[in-house]
Amino acid sequence: MANDATKPLALTLGEPAGIGPDITIAAWLRRRELNLPAFYLLGDEASIASRAKALGADIRIASVTAGEAEAAFTDALPVVATGERATAGPGTPDTSSAPAALASIRQAVADVRAGRASAVVTNPIAKSVLYRAGFRHPGHTEFLAELAADGGRVPQPVMMLWSPRLAVVPVTIHVSLRDALAQLSSELIVSTARIVAGELKSRFGIARPRIAISGLNPHAGEDGSLGHEEQTVIAPALKALRSDGIDVRGPLPADTMFHEAARSTYDCAVCMYHDQALIPIKTVAFDDAVNVTLGLPFIRTSPDHGTAFDIAGTAKANPASLIAALKLASRMAAAKSE
């Protein structure tokens, strides 16, 4: 796979009825002020023009190829057609637009793997809409892993939520709490933390990453009186990681890991399940946190919020998380190319 950090970013459409088009337009309008990296939107010109009109946005749109996008970016929002029309209006999702959302993701991955783009940045999708259209993946992360399959081997995707104040990774992702407990194993903790450590080095430029590992139970099990997983599952994983030379601490009580002083002692917190990781980062960095998928053969970032149907097309959507995702993707692509 070609990897050229000078190429533009491939930005997916996301759910057409959500705020993806809104924040894309808002980000492009601030491109000079914020010195944003060049990006192009994978979608169709007509739907984006319609949304810009609804927002009252004074914007020029250019239908281009990926190779023409960077040159067009200064004066127009580059849109690369996927062959699927997005028909859903703002705030009114329907399954007829699911093919447009999925085609955008597939084309973004194809572009970055072919060297036409430096990274994939994804706008929010509505999983419920996609499920009704036959989508069988738990979420973006797992779909991207399938698209990244090489010779039939699907890589392990690791979901990181990153902000300048905190980075977190859940070991188990989009499953129920009951299923998360069933899935949790020493092997999964080890493989996840290895990917985190490797990519903090290669894509974030941290020479010796410090990783904090949470416990599973209240007070990290209280020496076995509140659960034994810390001793039987997490401790063996920590031993294996230390034998690899990875700087890990834990298992730590999750309720004391995320105050300001604690956060200064590590570069990433690896937690046992989804909410254990995402509640703290969405509390301290709701507007500027970025979803990053580690473990893939390409860079993928995304805003850390949903489709916000209630404000789609109203010009109330905050583009801060998308702007952070664009900047982080560009930074990671530059680090990877060094």
Side-chain angles (χ1 to χ4, degrees), residues 80-327:
V80 175
T82 63
E84 295 285 352
R85 179 76 188 275
T87 57
T92 56
D94 65 71
T95 55
S96 67
S97 287
L102 296 176
S104 183
I105 298 168
R106 291 191 186 97
Q107 189 59 52
V109 172
D111 282 357
V112 75
R113 298 199 78 176
R116 294 185 290 268
S118 61
V120 175
V121 181
T122 59
N123 267 310
I125 57 172
K127 291 188 284 289
S128 60
V129 176
L130 297 181
Y131 294 155
R132 292 196 295 272
F135 188 66
R136 58 183 177 79
H137 301 276
H140 246 140
T141 302
E142 297 82 359
F143 183 42
L144 288 163
E146 182 176 281
L147 294 175
D150 189 8
R153 179 184 173 275
V154 178
Q156 178 188 345
V158 171
M159 184 173 78
M160 170 186 280
L161 278 294
W162 178 92
S163 78
R165 294 182 292 285
L166 175 64
V168 298
V169 165
V171 174
T172 60
I173 309 178
H174 296 120
V175 294
S176 71
L177 186 54
R178 186 184 301 276
D179 288 343
L181 296 177
Q183 285 185 11
L184 191 65
S185 67
S186 300
E187 293 76 15
L188 184 58
I189 295 168
V190 169
S191 63
T192 300
R194 283 174 175 162
I195 290 169
V196 172
E199 298 210 18
L200 285 175
K201 288 181 182 178
S202 65
R203 294 186 173 178
F204 288 82
I206 301 173
R208 184 168 172 76
R210 303 164 301 162
I211 300 174
I213 309 284
S214 79
L216 172 68
N217 298 296
H219 303 175
E222 199 76 73
D223 293 325
S225 63
L226 296 177
H228 297 280
E229 287 84 0
E230 285 73 17
Q231 297 157 316
T232 60
V233 177
I234 302 174
L238 290 167
K239 183 178 180 181
L241 291 165
R242 290 180 182 126
S243 71
D244 288 346
I246 298 173
D247 184 356
V248 291
R249 298 172 50 215
L252 302 173
D255 62 349
T256 58
M257 285 179 63
F258 299 107
H259 61 84
E260 187 174 2
R263 297 198 305 267
S264 68
T265 65
Y266 58 81
D267 299 300
C268 181
V270 173
C271 302
M272 298 302 107
Y273 56 91
H274 183 280
D275 284 9
Q276 194 182 49
L278 270 65
I279 287 172
I281 193 164
K282 289 193 176 186
T283 299
V284 303
F286 185 80
D287 287 329
D288 59 359
V290 177
N291 187 340
V292 186
T293 305
L294 309 179
L296 303 178
F298 52 84
I299 294 162
R300 180 262 178 154
T301 67
S302 179
D304 179 29
H305 57 66
T307 52
F309 290 129
D310 58 321
I311 60 171
T314 67
K316 295 180 181 178
N318 185 347
S321 188
L322 175 59
I323 288 167
L326 292 164
K327 288 184 173 181

